[in-house]
């Protein structure tokens, strides 16, 4: 199995997390690779560029809570709108702040806007650095070349030195990073306002944001109607996978698939400070419970991947909801309840993870049909799904949340015991209780989460 197909399919999760239209990463990859053709980029560089374009937003979830805190607004909407703003133009930047702070009264909006404007430059640099470094780390986790990581690190640098996070200028910015920067903004403007607007934007920021050589390359392809129509194809993931240089094609064996799941678990858990290591711990707990029940190695591996990826749908939920301290409104609860469906939709796109999509998406189902998102009952829940339900509940109960403190293991077990056999699987609970009570055993991870 080709790694390119897997990363291309999972890039939809990154699109959701960064407030982009579905397919943004893939369309950016198509644009970037076409620019590489125009400038005659060598094959090794094309391979690194390919993965850099698909993974450019791998760190996007790591600053979501900070963005929400600064503006008190919906991080997904804030990120979507910011891509259309030229922050080097002060009036445009101030308009963005005023329009997007989360306050209704004039007084509160003025106060919030002033605060955001005062903290904005420093916060923008910090947020960009956090995002770019996390994205680079994930690329290296997947054993991709250092050039991929460096391209992601320099994604938001500008030709005139006004970019973030290091203020690199001109050719000091890695060439692959320059291509990433132009390709992603062209894609956003093309999707939102059409090709003419995208090209006009590039010209307006020529020699400021963008390498003039790349802007000229964009001019040479603007009249290729067949290419721009190709961005509208419905099977983008399969299409883009074949742009990877065939002689440098990377395979995805079981070991690499495990690393992909681990890397995307980091993306998921970075979304909120309250989910630090949640996916990793759910996977660990599920595996030791399954071992206690005698599951064989292949089943254990699949269950671990499902645990790592079960909350990938939460990337599409605003931090205004995820980190809310008070009770959720009905509409907010409905949004949260849809995340398992989004998990299933994303994982079903990935050839290697189709078989675990249903299990991963069942982590909030209950034996009596009172769970979500499909309201499944006992007969419809596989042993793996039942284990994942128990592991997810136990981990959540023993972790800090914005609306409550963490529970002690005994307290969490007591709550689960009250639902064993009616809402959650009795066998899975009994196995969980057994491994939790083995105090001297290193099999179960530490109970408490760090915020």
């Amino acid at each position: 199995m080709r790694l390119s197909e897997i990363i291309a399919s999972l890039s939809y999760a990154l699109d959701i997390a960064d407030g982009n239209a579905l397919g943004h990463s893939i369309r950016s990859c198509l644009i970037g690779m076409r620019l590489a053709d125009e400038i005659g980029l060598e094959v090794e560089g094309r391979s690194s560029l390919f993965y850099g374009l698909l993974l450019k937003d791998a760190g996007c979830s790591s600053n979501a809570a900070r963005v929400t805190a600064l503006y008190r607004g919906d991080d997904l909407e804030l990120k979507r709108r910011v891509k259309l703003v030229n922050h080097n133009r002060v009036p445009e930047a101030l308009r963005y702040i005023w329009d997007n702070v989360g306050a209704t009264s004039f007084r509160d909006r003025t106060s919030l806007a002033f605060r955001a404007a005062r903290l904005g430059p420093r916060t923008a640099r910090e947020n960009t650095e956090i995002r770019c470094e996390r994205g680079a780390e994930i690329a290296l986790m997947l054993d991709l070349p250092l050039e991929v990581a460096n391209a992601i690190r320099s994604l938001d640098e500008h030709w005139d030195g006004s970019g973030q996070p290091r203020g690199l200028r001109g050719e000091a910015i890695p060439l692959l990073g320059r291509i990433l920067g132009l390709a992603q903004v062209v894609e956003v403007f093309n999707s939102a306002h059409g090709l003419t607007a995208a090209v006009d934007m590039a010209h307006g920021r020529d020699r400021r944001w963008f390498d003039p050589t790349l802007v000229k390359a964009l001019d040479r392809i603007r009249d290729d109607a067949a290419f721009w129509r190709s961005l509208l194809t419905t099977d983008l993931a399969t299409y883009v996978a074949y742009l990877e240089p065939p002689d440098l094609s990377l395979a995805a064996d079981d070991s690499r698939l495990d690393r992909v799941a681990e890397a995307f678990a980091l993306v998921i858990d970075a979304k909120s400070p309250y989910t630090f290591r949640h996916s990793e711990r759910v996977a660990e707990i599920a595996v030791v419970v399954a071992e206690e029940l005698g599951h064989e190695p292949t089943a254990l591996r699949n269950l671990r991947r499902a645990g790592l990826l079960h909350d990938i749908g939460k990337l599409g939920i605003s931090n205004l909801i995820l980190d809310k301290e008070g009770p959720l409104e009905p509409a907010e609860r409905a949004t949260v309840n849809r995340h398992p469906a989004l998990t299933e939709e994303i994982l079903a796109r990935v050839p290697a993870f189709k078989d675990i999509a249903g299990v991963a998406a069942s982590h909030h189902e209950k034996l009596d049909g009172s769970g979500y998102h499909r309201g499944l009952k006992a007969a419809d829940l596989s042993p793996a799904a039942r284990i994942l339900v128990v592991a997810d509940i136990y981990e959540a109960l023993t972790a800090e949340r914005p609306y409550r403190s963490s529970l002690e293991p005994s307290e969490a077990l007591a709550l689960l015991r009250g639902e064993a056999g009616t809402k959650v699987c009795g066998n899975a609970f009994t196995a969980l209780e057994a491994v939790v009570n083995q105090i001297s055993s290193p099999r179960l991870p530490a109970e408490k989460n760090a915020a």
Side-chain angles (χ1 to χ4, degrees):
M1 189 171 298
R2 295 172 61 167
L3 180 63
S4 56
E5 292 182 73
I6 294 159
I7 298 301
S9 298
L10 282 174
S11 71
Y12 286 95
L14 305 181
D15 298 339
I16 292 167
D18 210 34
N20 291 311
L22 286 180
H24 162 76
S25 297
I26 294 178
R27 290 189 294 271
S28 296
C29 186
L30 291 167
I31 294 168
M33 294 300 284
R34 182 61 192 276
L35 291 172
D37 286 342
E38 288 297 317
I39 65 171
L41 187 66
E42 76 284 355
V43 67
E44 290 82 4
R46 286 175 57 82
S47 178
S48 294
L49 175 66
F50 175 82
Y51 282 102
L53 287 160
L54 288 177
L55 288 169
K56 67 183 182 62
D57 293 328
C60 62
S61 62
S62 59
N63 61 21
R66 292 168 61 93
V67 169
T68 298
L70 179 63
Y71 289 91
R72 296 184 192 169
D74 182 339
D75 55 295
L76 302 177
E77 191 63 21
L78 284 160
K79 290 184 174 189
R80 183 187 69 79
R81 293 175 181 174
V82 76
K83 296 176 180 66
L84 296 168
V85 176
N86 185 346
H87 285 273
N88 290 351
R89 295 177 178 173
V90 174
E92 197 171 337
L94 292 177
R95 169 58 63 181
Y96 170 81
I97 292 172
W98 179 259
D99 287 346
N100 289 282
V101 290
T104 53
S105 73
F106 180 82
R107 179 179 178 180
D108 288 347
R109 174 167 286 199
T110 301
S111 176
L112 256 181
F114 178 79
R115 175 176 173 271
R118 179 171 55 85
L119 298 176
R122 185 186 71 190
T123 303
R125 183 176 64 254
E126 293 172 350
N127 285 348
T128 303
E129 184 170 21
I130 290 168
R131 168 199 172 108
C132 292
E133 284 302 319
R134 173 54 64 91
E137 289 170 11
I138 287 172
L140 295 175
M141 274 185 69
L142 299 177
D143 292 333
L144 294 172
L146 181 61
E147 288 76 15
V148 178
N150 287 338
I152 295 171
R153 286 191 177 104
S154 57
L155 170 68
D156 290 311
E157 301 288 357
H158 295 167
W159 184 256
D160 65 0
S162 65
Q164 306 286 0
R166 292 180 290 167
L168 299 179
R169 181 186 298 269
E171 293 186 0
I173 306 169
L175 174 59
L176 304 190
R178 284 178 257 158
I179 298 174
L180 263 63
L182 177 59
Q184 72 164 359
V185 184
V186 167
E187 194 290 319
V188 168
F189 272 79
N190 182 49
S191 291
H193 302 302
L195 180 58
T196 298
V199 175
D200 288 347
M201 174 279 304
H203 278 281
R205 303 181 191 184
D206 186 15
R207 298 181 184 274
R208 294 179 176 84
W209 284 35
F210 304 127
D211 180 344
T213 300
L214 296 178
V215 175
K216 290 177 182 176
L218 177 64
D219 281 337
R220 293 195 295 271
I221 67 173
R222 71 174 298 172
D223 293 328
D224 187 345
F227 168 72
W228 296 104
R229 280 198 304 272
S230 73
L231 303 185
L232 303 177
T233 184
T234 56
D235 194 13
L236 282 170
T238 300
Y239 178 41
V240 78
Y242 289 97
L243 290 180
E244 181 184 19
D247 292 342
L248 298 176
S249 176
L250 299 176
D253 57 11
D254 273 331
S255 177
R256 187 166 240 150
L257 285 175
D258 288 338
R259 288 198 296 279
V260 169
E262 290 161 5
F264 274 79
L266 292 179
V267 177
I268 298 162
D269 290 349
K271 174 75 171 155
S272 168
Y274 296 99
T275 55
F276 175 77
R277 289 194 67 229
H278 170 72
S279 300
E280 179 186 350
R281 290 195 69 243
V282 167
E284 291 172 345
I285 294 167
V287 167
V288 296
V289 169
E291 287 176 337
E292 182 75 11
L293 291 171
H295 288 225
E296 47 89 22
T298 299
L300 295 176
R301 175 168 241 160
N302 287 336
L303 180 57
R304 179 172 182 269
R305 291 173 182 169
L308 289 168
L309 297 170
H310 75 282
D311 266 345
I312 200 166
K314 278 192 175 178
L315 292 174
I317 301 176
S318 167
N319 279 64
L320 281 177
I321 297 175
L322 287 180
D323 299 338
K324 187 174 181 179
E325 294 184 0
L328 298 180
E329 300 294 332
E332 294 170 333
R333 171 53 61 188
T335 297
V336 170
N337 287 0
R338 284 195 295 269
H339 82 267
L342 189 53
T343 288
E344 186 165 23
E345 179 184 332
I346 292 170
L347 295 183
R349 293 177 181 269
V350 187
F353 295 145
K354 280 184 179 179
D355 290 344
I356 66 168
V359 171
S362 297
H363 61 280
H364 285 298
E365 302 288 357
K366 297 292 178 66
L367 298 180
D368 62 359
S370 63
Y372 60 91
H373 65 294
R374 289 173 295 181
L376 300 180
K377 293 188 176 182
D380 301 311
L381 292 172
S382 68
R386 294 174 181 220
I387 292 169
L388 191 59
V389 168
V390 168
D392 182 61
I393 294 173
Y394 179 79
E395 199 291 323
L397 290 173
T398 55
E400 297 285 342
R401 286 293 183 265
Y403 46 85
R404 61 158 174 78
S405 299
S406 60
L407 300 183
E408 293 298 323
S410 59
E411 296 173 306
L413 288 175
L415 288 176
L416 274 166
R417 189 178 297 112
E419 297 189 343
T422 57
K423 291 183 178 294
V424 302
C425 176
N427 289 338
F429 169 74
T430 300
L432 172 68
E433 189 172 37
V435 295
V436 170
N437 288 334
Q438 293 170 11
I439 302 299
S440 61
S441 171
R443 294 171 66 197
L444 195 65
E447 307 296 341
K448 299 281 187 170
N449 257 349

